[in-house]
Amino acid sequence: MKGVEGSTRPAYAAYHDWFRQQDPDRLTKKSLDAEAFFRRTGITFNVYGQAEAQERLIPFDLVPRILAQREWSKLAKGIEQRVAAINAFLHDIYNRQEILRAGRVPKDLIANNEAFLPQMVGFSPPGQVYTHIVGTDIVRTGEGDFFVLEDNARTPSGVSYMLENRETMLQMFPELFSKIKVQPVSDYPKNLRRSLAACAPAGAGPKPTIAVLTPGIYNSAYFEHSFLADQMGAELVEGHDLRVVDGHIAMRTTQGYKQIDVLYRRVDDEFLDPLTFNPDSMLGVPGIMDIYRAGNITIANAPGSGIADDKAIYSYMPDIVEFYTGEKAILKNVETWRCGEPEALKYVLDNLKDLVVKEVHGSGGYGMLVGPAASKKELEAFREKLVAKPGNYIAQPTLSLSTVPIFCESELAPRHVDLRPFVLVSPQGINIVPGGLTRVALTEGSLVVNSSQGGGTKDTWVLED
Amino acid sequence: MQLSITHTTRYTYDEPVHYALQKVRLIPRDSSQQRIADWHVEINGGQREVSYHDQHGNVTDLVSADIGVTEITITASGRVETFDTAGVLGQVYGAVPLWHYCQPTPLTKPGEGIVALAQDLKGAGDQLAALHALSAKIAETVKYGTGQTYAATDAEAALAGGQGVCQDHAHILIAAARSAGVPARYVSGYLMMDDRVDQDATHAWAEAHVAHLGWVGFDVSNGQCPDERYVRIAVGRDYREAAPISGLRHGAGDESMIVSLQVQQ
Amino acid sequence: MLGKTAGGLYWMFRYLERAENIARLIEAGFRIALTRSTDAEGEWKSVVTTAGVEAAYAQKYESYTSAHVVDYLLRDTSNPSSVLSVIAFARDNARVVRTALTTEVWEAVNETWMTLTSLLAHPVRETDLPAMLNTIRQQSALVRGALHGTMLRNDIYDFSRIGTFIERSDNTARILDVKYYTLLPHTSFVGSSLDNVQWETVLRSVSAHRSFRWLGESEMTAAAIADFLILDRRLPRSLSFCTSQIVSNLDYLAEDYGERHPCHDMAEALHSRLRHRTIDSIFEEGLHEFITAFIRDNNALGMQIESDFRFSG
């Protein structure tokens, strides 16, 4: 709510007025109600690496994060530019590789990258769309100063929380929404369906069949998979529901096999097709890559899209945006040291306690060092890992992230946040839902917002003008 | 030379097949070394689901078994006119960039043995001569012989074992060439052995990329470069990407495979 | 509908039904243990046998005490038929088919799972047992109510009902199988207290002890009880009622899909064995043989349904 200079951001003014009139006890009770609601409806996620497959709630904070339309439209323009560039980059990397020939991105970065899938070379997916769904992680450091932290081009998750958070807010505080005009997010499932349908293969007919592929009920994001399938009116399938029938991928129904035209898969590339990739995978669909290459199914996101959100590629994003759009990148990149480069490594080792170091292929906040928060021992342990495999890491400065208020022990307290807007791409255009998922580091001073590391979420409002 | 080829692969199953898929790469293409006069692939007990070009340009068929069969037969046959180019395929390139053929795969990952083997090739003035020398050295170190290695044996293990078949020879040469920075790939195909019509199995060799010449074939097992007795079918970074047939099956019971191959003039 | 979804619905409701049946069995056993302490051991043993977990129980415990049996049947996760296990299976299946369930049904199942998991986290004291069993019954009723009140009457509903009735008829038949000798006319000494207790247990196990009295059409005799549990079409746990429900739900599916399967004929054959039948003719055939054949064919029907509707690949 406070701007960088300590003043209240104008977008919060109306909410602030409302908040001052509220009884803190009532808000505390509402907060507990929300938790009970989430638990009852099963909006949970499973945590990896714990003894039992335990289901946890992502803590929900009832104070919305509020953006003015003016701030949002600048952000949205930047995201659109970036996502368009990512798609052009993917098509280029898997076809002519002009950007490598031009020397703007080093060849080795692609060649040695596990996310690069040779099986995609010389192939154009239906509609030439690679990243049907993108979740771009954005942070803000000052007034209008937005940085992109990560481009999630594989299978970004969290959109169900965005929708449920809004739904919860509407139920808890209906009066707020009549006072303050907030842009709706509830069209997302409809838009997702439309966007995926627009990417169907040429032979699919006017009403393509869409299905969501999940690894199953023990996957950490299963709630989201079933939620999206439900909201889109699509079947939720697992690998063993599918097989190759008459040149297509088809799902086993009570009345026989039925062709699928678009598969929104939430299974990683490696496990997608045991006939082509990891032969031990039980989660995938044997033969789907053959059907895909023959042009008989759309896979969203396209296999191999991960090469675009790789943390080492990230540092080249300003060049990539410029190369394909001919414009300067609207959104800033966080300064990044590629530890594989000797000079960068030296700098990183010398300044480890001030930096955030990430694994190039990691995700979800695992395998990450936050220098200022690390103990001496942790720093030393990480230093060894860095020296052993410098190419595996990148480092970034710790940004002075902006804070927004959360409701904590009956009053407001500042916490660091990021924002993940959700972007849909189809041949008809790029569609960004106004707002997105705001993740908040609930521990005072913490910069880690990942739900697997104790982060929470809150509703995100983009005000109408 | 005009070659007549009949290549039959017969899978038999103890129990009726519930569901099985085969990825089939059995369609040769025209090149400087061969011209396809007539070719077809016939499937009994299954059907072709789709057909497409993979990243290496191989025509790939996805074949599914008919439900309940106990036997699938895939027969590739036809006539191919071949030319002796002293092993040189030439400067022909597909969608896959040359550097990709320098990337190791699980089957061609270099270990200490491979790296040592590649020493002389690294920075050699005469690449072609060095590759010939490498081929000869591999043939000398790893004797031709069956039973020591299997389809999933990697190059380093085959080298250490000292014995292998054409697949292992090709993998070792490919792994060594790549570790010396020379692009290399795996070729599966047919070879007409002079003394017989019935061949034991499909053959495999390696191709390395030599500056100014383009792709050049090396058949380590037979100590020669492919000539007019050879027919190329498929290429890839290793066996897994260029295997004529690879499959997957759901269900109990055992499977056995019999290959019969006739190559004659 | 996906075959997997049909299977998930079918099993979800089988497991929910099983949880309720296990609770009922415990209730009947507990009552005997309280009122007839001398028969308790034997009674608990037959409860374990009816639940179909005799062998596994015997590996773990040497005696059939109330505390052991109750704990094994309610809470033991190594017992796949314990209430705790089947509630978790039911909820797992509900998660698989979540897109086919109304919010009300899903929330009822999820709440049942949360409630029972927390209540069964620790051993249940004897004083708390009646309340515990009551909660299980209430939670089952909650899910059933949500199903009836909110679900469309389509294939989703049909598969849910078929699962319920396959499980229920299996359960009633098992009770009869374990207790059949107490119902045989020649072994019963009319009016003996032993038989009265046994018969009441049988009736209690299917929650029919009061309805039997209400109907009041016959004396409490072995034949009347067997008739009630096997042939009475008013009793929602009788074999006849269950099979008629299976037949009609399968018929709805045939109508909906425009296709009949082998399971349709099997269900009708099973049901016709119970229609226009007298209990005397069943006794003549042999009660034990009749029940054994019923359990076998009911199981076979379940498997045929799984295959006809492609529950798995």
Side-chain angles (χ1 to χ4, degrees):
Chain A
M1 207 174 291
K2 301 281 186 199
V4 268
E5 317 84 14
S7 58
T8 303
R9 286 200 191 103
Y12 279 87
Y15 179 81
H16 202 208
D17 288 345
W18 173 86
F19 185 85
R20 272 189 313 217
Q21 294 162 17
Q22 302 305 307
D23 169 9
D25 290 344
R26 176 176 170 260
L27 292 179
T28 305
K29 187 180 171 299
K30 288 272 184 193
S31 199
L32 293 171
D33 287 351
E35 195 181 308
F37 168 76
F38 284 134
R39 214 171 265 292
R40 196 172 70 240
T41 48
I43 306 176
T44 54
F45 72 103
N46 304 340
V47 185
Y48 290 122
Q50 298 204 345
E52 277 177 46
Q54 214 184 348
E55 290 175 24
R56 285 213 322 223
L57 287 184
I58 298 185
F60 170 73
D61 176 56
L62 53 77
V63 181
R65 193 244 186 105
I66 308 176
L67 294 163
Q69 166 60 30
R70 187 180 36 80
E71 298 171 297
W72 172 251
S73 52
K74 182 186 170 195
L75 191 55
K77 233 173 108 188
I79 294 169
E80 186 171 336
Q81 178 197 47
R82 196 155 166 126
V83 169
I86 283 175
N87 267 280
F89 170 70
L90 284 166
H91 189 262
D92 185 34
I93 280 299
Y94 287 119
N95 288 278
R96 305 250 333 132
Q97 304 192 320
E98 297 292 356
I99 198 164
L100 303 187
R101 292 166 203 245
R104 298 287 286 269
V105 168
K107 183 202 79 193
D108 286 348
L109 211 55
I110 306 295
N112 298 323
N113 204 309
E114 281 177 25
F116 175 77
L117 285 192
Q119 289 80 1
M120 292 295 291
V121 172
F123 171 73
S124 268
Q128 248 188 62
V129 175
Y130 286 81
T131 59
H132 306 75
I133 300 114
V134 182
T136 313
D137 288 347
I138 307 268
V139 291
R140 174 185 208 159
T141 56
E143 229 33 67
D145 244 359
F146 292 106
F147 285 83
V148 174
L149 216 50
E150 254 175 63
D151 301 280
N152 295 290
R154 298 166 208 223
T155 47
S157 61
V159 76
S160 58
Y161 298 102
M162 170 192 85
L163 294 166
E164 287 288 3
N165 286 352
R166 174 63 55 84
E167 206 49 46
T168 308
M169 288 295 282
L170 281 165
Q171 288 195 13
M172 288 200 300
F173 308 111
E175 75 275 15
L176 252 179
F177 290 86
S178 57
K179 272 201 187 72
I180 304 172
K181 290 294 158 213
V182 180
Q183 297 188 31
V185 295
S186 55
D187 287 343
Y188 179 82
K190 195 178 74 203
N191 291 337
L192 174 60
R193 187 184 176 93
R194 193 178 294 158
S195 185
L196 288 173
C199 298
K207 278 197 79 185
T209 303
I210 299 172
V212 178
L213 176 68
T214 174
I217 60 168
Y218 299 111
N219 184 269
S220 65
Y222 179 77
F223 162 70
E224 175 153 306
H225 307 160
S226 79
F227 178 88
L228 286 175
D230 191 34
Q231 297 276 310
M232 278 200 292
E235 287 290 0
L236 179 65
V237 298
E238 292 172 52
H240 56 79
D241 294 317
L242 307 180
R243 64 161 59 171
V244 172
V245 177
D246 296 334
H248 290 85
I249 296 299
M251 55 187 169
R252 193 182 66 253
T253 77
T254 51
Q255 300 175 81
Y257 278 90
K258 184 173 183 236
Q259 177 181 323
I260 292 175
D261 301 306
V262 181
L263 190 63
Y264 176 23
R265 50 88 181 220
R266 299 289 294 256
V267 168
D268 292 344
D269 287 355
E270 192 195 348
F271 300 104
L272 196 54
D273 183 350
L275 196 59
T276 298
F277 305 123
N278 184 345
D280 302 325
S281 168
M282 305 290 286
L283 304 175
V285 190
I288 192 173
M289 283 304 287
D290 304 83
I291 302 296
Y292 184 53
R293 239 190 121 111
N296 289 356
I297 192 168
T298 296
I299 301 176
N301 289 351
S305 295
I307 190 75
D309 69 11
D310 185 87
K311 292 191 183 68
I313 298 286
Y314 166 85
S315 57
Y316 292 93
M317 277 311 290
D319 291 307
I320 289 172
V321 170
E322 207 176 318
F323 188 80
Y324 295 107
T325 66
E327 299 161 9
K328 284 262 176 240
I330 298 170
L331 297 177
K332 293 180 195 165
N333 241 34
V334 181
E335 189 180 1
T336 303
W337 289 274
R338 298 183 279 263
C339 302
E341 297 168 8
E343 274 179 32
L345 178 64
K346 185 177 180 310
Y347 177 86
V348 172
L349 291 173
D350 289 348
N351 297 279
L352 203 53
K353 65 177 192 331
D354 301 322
L355 298 171
V356 176
V357 189
K358 297 175 180 173
E359 261 186 76
V360 172
H361 304 299
S363 71
Y366 291 101
M368 169 174 164
L369 175 84
V370 181
S375 69
K376 227 175 171 162
K377 216 170 132 194
E378 286 169 321
L379 283 174
E380 285 318 304
F382 214 90
R383 186 183 298 275
E384 280 174 30
K385 289 207 278 188
L386 253 173
V387 173
K389 275 193 158 179
N392 263 7
Y393 298 93
I394 54 144
Q396 295 172 335
T398 48
L399 302 174
S400 53
L401 290 191
S402 69
T403 60
V404 304
I406 66 163
F407 187 70
C408 178
E409 288 169 15
S410 302
E411 52 184 37
L412 297 178
R415 291 291 184 275
H416 295 296
V417 287
D418 78 354
L419 174 65
R420 178 178 289 181
F422 293 94
V423 189
L424 298 172
V425 185
S426 82
Q428 295 165 354
I430 294 175
N431 177 300
I432 309 176
V433 64
L437 180 68
T438 293
R439 299 188 297 176
V440 49
L442 293 174
T443 313
E444 199 176 345
S446 166
L447 294 171
V448 184
V449 297
N450 303 80
S451 54
S452 49
Q453 313 273 306
T457 69
K458 46 168 64 218
D459 192 16
T460 309
W461 292 2
V462 176
L463 301 181
E464 286 183 1
D465 249 349
Chain B
M1 187 180 277
Q2 185 90 4
L3 297 179
S4 271
I5 298 160
T6 305
H7 171 206
T8 305
T9 311
R10 176 176 291 123
Y11 292 90
T12 50
Y13 308 103
D14 284 3
E15 289 176 26
V17 172
H18 187 49
Y19 183 57
L21 292 174
Q22 308 279 4
K23 208 191 262 275
V24 178
R25 303 179 187 93
L26 277 175
I27 302 186
R29 283 170 299 155
D30 286 355
S31 70
S32 63
Q33 296 172 320
Q34 63 193 32
R35 198 184 62 77
I36 316 305
D38 169 40
W39 194 264
H40 39 261
V41 176
E42 207 177 294
I43 299 151
N44 272 311
Q47 61 168 317
R48 181 179 288 110
E49 296 285 351
V50 287
S51 187
Y52 65 95
H53 287 83
D54 72 7
Q55 70 266 28
H56 302 290
N58 303 311
V59 181
T60 310
D61 293 335
L62 183 70
V63 170
S64 68
D66 294 337
I67 293 168
V69 296
T70 52
E71 186 175 305
I72 307 175
T73 310
I74 300 168
T75 307
S77 58
R79 288 173 300 116
V80 179
E81 193 179 348
T82 56
F83 315 100
D84 187 353
T85 62
V88 179
L89 179 74
Q91 293 171 302
V92 283
Y93 307 103
V96 174
L98 211 45
W99 55 256
H100 186 55
Y101 295 106
C102 288
Q103 297 309 121
T105 64
L107 288 175
T108 58
K109 205 169 162 241
E112 275 176 27
I114 297 284
V115 171
L117 194 64
Q119 273 315 312
D120 294 344
L121 179 59
K122 217 171 216 167
D126 185 345
Q127 259 190 344
L128 189 61
L131 282 163
H132 277 294
L134 172 66
S135 175
K137 197 165 172 189
I138 295 168
E140 195 185 294
T141 321
V142 182
K143 298 284 175 231
Y144 188 90
T146 54
Q148 275 285 89
T149 56
Y150 54 106
T153 304
D154 66 33
E156 185 70 27
L159 179 63
Q163 190 182 324
V165 296
C166 56
Q167 171 183 323
D168 305 304
H169 283 148
H171 277 158
I172 295 167
L173 189 137
I174 292 164
R178 285 182 193 155
S179 90
V182 176
R185 65 190 181 188
Y186 188 97
V187 186
S188 61
Y190 303 119
L191 162 62
M192 185 185 73
M193 304 281 262
D194 290 333
D195 55 346
R196 61 193 96 153
V197 171
D198 286 313
Q199 313 293 331
D200 288 341
T202 54
H203 195 46
W205 58 95
E207 280 177 353
H209 191 267
V210 180
H212 310 302
L213 271 181
W215 291 105
V216 181
F218 294 89
D219 179 359
V220 176
S221 306
N222 292 294
Q224 63 195 20
C225 287
D227 55 23
E228 56 192 348
R229 293 166 301 160
Y230 287 71
V231 175
R232 294 169 87 249
I233 321 177
V235 298
R237 281 184 305 165
D238 61 16
Y239 166 76
R240 207 174 163 217
E241 290 184 359
I245 303 180
S246 55
L248 175 149
R249 183 171 58 101
H250 289 178
D254 275 339
E255 165 188 296
S256 58
M257 184 189 76
I258 302 166
V259 178
S260 84
L261 173 62
Q262 287 103 39
V263 184
Q264 58 190 307
Q265 253 186 295
Chain C
M1 184 198 293
L2 288 178
K4 177 188 69 189
T5 305
L9 289 161
Y10 171 91
W11 280 106
M12 170 185 162
F13 280 93
R14 275 197 79 155
Y15 285 127
L16 286 170
E17 179 69 24
R18 193 171 298 175
E20 197 182 339
N21 293 339
I22 296 282
R24 247 192 219 99
L25 284 177
I26 295 172
E27 197 161 28
F30 186 59
R31 196 176 167 83
I32 289 215
L34 284 183
T35 54
R36 312 253 149 183
S37 52
T38 48
D39 305 332
E41 173 105 16
E43 200 48 47
W44 281 124
K45 185 169 188 215
S46 75
V47 165
V48 170
T49 310
T50 310
V53 293
E54 201 181 3
Y57 180 91
Q59 287 216 328
K60 186 155 182 172
Y61 298 109
E62 283 174 358
S63 63
Y64 291 85
T65 66
S66 162
H68 285 165
V69 173
V70 168
D71 196 68
Y72 190 71
L73 293 181
L74 279 183
R75 305 179 52 244
D76 198 326
T77 46
S78 74
N79 169 13
S81 286
S82 72
V83 169
L84 200 53
S85 296
V86 298
I87 283 297
F89 294 147
R91 195 232 184 201
D92 277 356
N93 276 288
R95 292 189 81 204
V96 169
V97 303
R98 177 151 177 195
T99 56
L101 302 175
T102 57
T103 310
E104 287 85 346
V105 173
W106 158 253
E107 287 187 10
V109 177
N110 196 40
E111 198 198 293
T112 297
W113 172 76
M114 287 192 293
T115 306
L116 297 184
T117 310
S118 121
L119 285 176
L120 293 173
H122 306 287
V124 180
R125 284 179 308 178
E126 207 162 79
T127 47
D128 299 335
L129 186 61
M132 180 68 229
L133 297 172
N134 198 31
T135 306
I136 297 173
R137 268 203 322 253
Q138 278 177 353
Q139 289 295 335
S140 290
L142 193 69
V143 180
R144 196 159 36 234
L147 176 79
H148 287 292
T150 65
M151 297 283 285
L152 290 176
R153 296 313 195 251
N154 58 6
D155 47 355
I156 296 175
Y157 186 79
D158 297 330
F159 285 113
S160 308
R161 300 299 283 162
I162 290 168
T164 301
F165 287 111
I166 292 273
E167 180 71 23
R168 188 180 293 175
S169 55
D170 180 64
N171 182 255
T172 301
R174 279 163 177 281
I175 291 168
L176 287 165
D177 190 39
V178 172
K179 295 281 185 181
Y180 82 95
Y181 56 87
T182 69
L183 295 173
L184 293 178
H186 63 269
T187 55
S188 69
F189 303 95
V190 177
S192 82
S193 64
L194 175 70
D195 273 350
N196 276 334
V197 170
Q198 289 293 349
W199 293 344
E200 190 163 340
T201 312
V202 171
L203 288 170
R204 274 185 188 277
S205 309
V206 293
S207 292
H209 51 294
R210 292 187 60 213
S211 51
F212 185 80
R213 264 183 268 134
W214 284 341
L215 292 171
E217 286 162 6
S218 43
E219 291 288 305
M220 199 191 263
T221 63
I225 293 170
D227 185 76
F228 193 49
L229 262 56
I230 297 172
L231 299 175
D232 199 300
R233 296 193 59 183
R234 296 164 298 183
L235 176 68
R237 302 196 159 263
S238 79
L239 301 187
S240 177
F241 183 89
C242 293
T243 51
S244 80
Q245 291 292 312
I246 295 168
V247 167
S248 51
N249 281 291
L250 281 172
D251 281 347
Y252 296 140
L253 283 173
E255 209 173 294
D256 198 1
Y257 292 168
E259 194 182 4
R260 282 181 70 85
H261 292 290
C263 64
H264 286 98
D265 294 338
M266 282 174 76
E268 275 178 9
L270 191 63
H271 183 52
S272 72
R273 230 183 278 169
L274 301 161
R275 285 171 70 189
H276 315 300
R277 194 69 195 267
T278 62
I279 196 66
D280 291 342
S281 72
I282 290 175
F283 277 126
E284 224 161 86
E285 179 187 333
L287 182 59
H288 181 62
E289 289 76 7
F290 179 85
I291 294 296
T292 311
F294 182 89
I295 292 174
R296 185 194 61 218
D297 294 346
N298 187 56
N299 273 335
L301 173 60
M303 270 145 74
Q304 190 64 41
I305 290 169
E306 293 199 28
S307 134
D308 287 347
F309 293 103
R310 303 172 175 86
F311 287 4
S312 50

